[in-house]
Amino acid sequence: MTEENEHVSGATVWLTGLPSAGKTTIALELAARLRAEGHRVEVLDGDEIREFLSAGLGFTREDRHTNVQRIGFLAELLSRNGVVTLVPVIAPYADSRDAVRKRHEAGGTPYLEVHVATPVEVCSVRDVKGLYAKQAAGEISGLTGVDDPYEAPAAPDLRIESQDQTVAESAAAVHALLTERGLA
């Protein structure tokens, strides 16, 4: 870490978007770049959080809200302790994301919302976890952006059209935002 960066606080970067939008892939690329620069970084993967921190929660609106608030609490805790915390989590409801932002603001912790705005048609082709195929086959329901709501951010700090650029370009755009805000 350079002397210039020693006093830089942590920050939370919440990457929201549909399933298979590229959130985690971008977060992992960005994490590697930030670590190479000497930053303390954590990626709070939504699937891991559901397994270890939110086990037992389902996918009702209330359970999704609870999950997002738990992740938001953990992200703010890490960030206020000097960790750049990358959160590639769908968080489909605007009010849940707003509550997380307000928690960060109340603590004076930097928070950036990045909308990975990949169209559902592209996400369904990528179908990283096979969710779109399972939904189409009637095996699952409640898929965010298909038969369950996704409230896209009205005014994110950054919007990424991942289908129009490489993962490295997407990660570079988030890095540029962090740099612009004095956080990287």
Side-chain angles (χ1 to χ4, degrees):
M1 224 182 227
T2 66
E3 188 175 313
E4 179 182 312
N5 286 336
E6 284 181 10
H7 300 291
V8 173
S9 65
T12 295
V13 179
W14 198 292
L15 296 99
T16 180
L18 296 174
S20 297
K23 301 176 300 295
T24 301
T25 305
I26 293 166
L28 294 173
E29 178 85 10
L30 178 59
R33 180 172 179 175
L34 290 168
R35 285 186 185 112
E37 294 173 355
H39 295 278
R40 295 171 59 203
V41 181
E42 285 296 333
V43 177
L44 299 181
D45 179 80
D47 292 333
E48 290 177 356
I49 295 290
R50 274 206 173 264
E51 181 179 351
F52 297 106
L53 188 62
S54 294
L57 290 180
F59 291 91
T60 65
R61 184 179 179 105
E62 182 179 283
D63 282 356
R64 288 176 191 250
H65 179 77
T66 298
N67 185 50
V68 168
Q69 296 317 296
R70 288 178 183 175
I71 296 168
F73 171 80
L74 181 57
E76 197 277 332
L77 179 69
L78 288 167
S79 295
R80 78 173 128 102
N81 284 286
V83 178
V84 178
T85 308
L86 308 177
V87 186
V89 173
I90 296 168
Y93 301 111
D95 60 344
S96 295
R97 294 190 307 268
D98 289 345
V100 170
R101 180 184 290 275
K102 286 177 182 158
R103 168 184 288 284
H104 281 72
E105 288 172 353
T109 306
Y111 178 88
L112 301 172
E113 183 177 69
V114 176
H115 180 205
V116 183
T118 311
V120 69
E121 300 80 18
V122 174
C123 294
S124 65
V125 170
R126 290 179 181 171
D127 205 9
V128 177
K129 299 175 190 169
L131 297 174
Y132 293 93
K134 287 179 182 178
Q135 191 277 335
E139 296 172 26
I140 63 169
S141 62
L143 181 58
T144 302
V146 178
D147 60 353
D148 209 53
Y150 176 74
E151 299 169 356
D157 296 284
L158 177 65
R159 182 170 277 109
I160 292 176
E161 309 279 342
S162 74
Q163 73 280 6
D164 295 334
Q165 58 192 31
T166 66
V167 172
E169 289 168 336
S170 294
V174 181
H175 188 276
L177 177 63
L178 284 165
T179 302
E180 173 187 307
R181 303 281 174 95
L183 303 169

